[in-house]
Amino acid sequence: MSGASDVPGARGPGDPREAIFEVVVTQLTYEADAVVSVRLERPDGAPLPAWEPGAHVDLLLPVGITRQYSLIESPPDFSSYTIAVLQQPNSRGGSEYVHVFLRPGQRVALGAPRNHFALDPAPHYLFLGGGIGITPLLSMVRAAALRRARWSLHYGGRSVRSMAFAQELVAAHGDAVRLWPADERGPLPLGELLRERADDTLLYCCGPAPLLSAVQEQAERAGWPREAIHFERFAPTVHAHGPDLPVTVVARRSGVEVLVEEDESLLDGLARAGVSMASSCRAGVCGACQATVLDGVPDHRDDVLTPAQREAGDVMMPCVSRARGERIVLDV
């Protein structure tokens, strides 16, 4: 792995991330209305880190904006990555920059892959995608097919024109893929799709918040076990919790102890005390700031950890989560 680069927006030496790579845009392709795919390669042609289905990367743009995008494709030698970006109507600058300013030949920075939406082994999968939420599922269906697992993908969108990669999926996988353009067929029939579940089936779903909420409600109603349901979210869930209180955070590895006030996050409190940590979304959905808990009980408010990980209490996301008590010790 290479070290940090001098690309605008990249972190410098000592950054807590594993690596920041300089990459060059080698191809942009419009895949659907307002969706462009971007192929990225190392300038020297060296391979990029290997990744597994469900992984995403941080794209660090020259204007100082960092956004997370699912990896959708790599050749076997990992000589390139491909991501897909939806131009959001109320963009905060990331998708607008990609669509309006990013061009082949331009250099940007890229973080090492992270995966909090991993494809667990199973004999049978049900994949549900909505809109640009199809992106992490693209690599998953290819992997499921290679594993000779039984699987089906139901893909919903406003119209066929807005559904990136739809025709390619049907051409490659035939009847295993069902398209649900709302203007022709209506919304995904979640009640029907989730009504019966075989004991060996895992559910993977990515899309807008209303879709994920509806899937969770229907799955729970149909008796799907929590450990069989996997979501990737674009926006944080609102988690009910009591009033925030001051908490002492001990950064064991840094030798720092700081009192974090009720109106700041643990991440911000640690930064105020000089403890540098990786972060990106600051909303508990990307997992960049995950920290190991050495002592104390976390008050989890993220959308990354599984129920089992929450119960274990070994890790937490200090950008949004706090402590159930007056003190917590982190391995940072």
Side-chain angles (χ1 to χ4, degrees):
M1 291 187 177
S2 74
S5 78
D6 58 359
V7 178
R11 278 87 169 162
D15 185 86
R17 294 179 184 274
E18 291 183 15
I20 298 294
F21 301 92
E22 183 181 56
V23 291
V24 61
V25 178
T26 57
Q27 183 174 312
L28 288 98
T29 305
Y30 276 90
E31 307 290 354
D33 288 350
V35 178
V36 64
S37 65
V38 183
R39 190 169 67 197
L40 303 161
E41 300 180 15
R42 292 281 294 273
D44 59 3
L48 289 157
W51 58 280
E52 297 291 336
H56 65 268
V57 292
D58 284 344
L59 182 66
L60 292 79
L61 297 170
V63 289
I65 294 172
T66 300
R67 294 290 182 268
Q68 303 85 42
Y69 296 106
S70 295
L71 288 166
I72 63 174
E73 187 177 41
S74 285
D77 62 358
F78 297 104
S79 59
S80 69
Y81 288 161
T82 301
I83 61 173
V85 181
L86 170 67
Q87 187 170 24
Q88 301 281 0
N90 299 314
S91 171
R92 295 175 294 160
S95 69
E96 180 182 10
Y97 186 93
V98 170
H99 278 256
V100 177
F101 299 107
L102 204 62
R103 293 293 180 268
Q106 184 173 351
R107 296 190 179 195
V108 292
L110 202 66
R114 297 192 304 272
N115 199 344
H116 292 281
F117 193 47
L119 185 66
D120 293 335
H124 188 206
Y125 299 98
L126 173 60
F127 300 109
L128 302 177
I132 197 63
I134 192 63
T135 52
L137 304 182
L138 294 173
S139 59
M140 290 187 171
V141 299
R142 286 194 292 268
L146 287 172
R147 296 175 187 178
R148 300 188 181 278
R150 292 176 293 116
W151 63 273
S152 60
L153 166 67
H154 294 263
Y155 177 13
R158 295 188 308 276
S159 66
V160 171
R161 290 183 58 188
S162 73
M163 297 169 66
F165 311 105
Q167 301 310 317
E168 293 93 325
L169 282 163
V170 172
H173 303 291
D175 291 343
V177 177
R178 292 285 186 269
L179 304 181
W180 297 89
D183 61 346
E184 297 178 22
R185 303 187 63 188
L188 285 163
L190 299 180
E192 176 185 340
L193 296 175
L194 298 169
R195 184 177 300 122
E196 295 183 6
R197 182 247 177 191
D199 291 339
D200 58 0
T201 303
L202 296 183
L203 167 65
Y204 283 81
C205 179
C206 184
L211 171 64
L212 270 59
S213 296
V215 168
Q216 186 162 6
E217 179 182 345
Q218 292 284 353
E220 289 177 353
R221 184 179 302 169
W224 284 66
R226 293 176 65 186
E227 61 271 16
I229 306 171
H230 303 266
F231 291 120
E232 178 149 273
R233 300 180 182 274
F234 301 144
T237 304
V238 177
H239 296 277
H241 58 81
D244 291 337
L245 300 173
V247 57
T248 297
V249 182
V250 178
R252 176 70 55 81
R253 191 153 23 100
S254 302
V256 171
E257 183 173 314
V258 59
L259 179 65
V260 177
E261 302 294 344
E262 66 271 14
D263 59 349
E264 65 179 341
S265 69
L266 271 59
L267 188 69
D268 289 339
L270 288 166
R272 173 169 54 81
V275 179
S276 178
M277 294 183 64
S279 66
S280 184
C281 72
R282 291 181 170 266
V285 296
C286 77
C289 67
Q290 179 172 303
T292 298
V293 178
L294 300 176
D295 191 29
V297 180
D299 179 9
H300 296 294
R301 304 177 187 179
D302 66 275
D303 290 294
V304 175
L305 299 177
T306 65
Q309 289 172 319
R310 289 167 177 264
E311 186 175 349
D314 297 330
V315 295
M316 69 179 300
M317 307 300 160
C319 66
V320 292
S321 299
R322 295 186 73 83
R324 297 184 182 277
E326 299 178 353
R327 185 175 182 272
I328 195 161
V329 181
L330 302 181
D331 184 22
V332 296

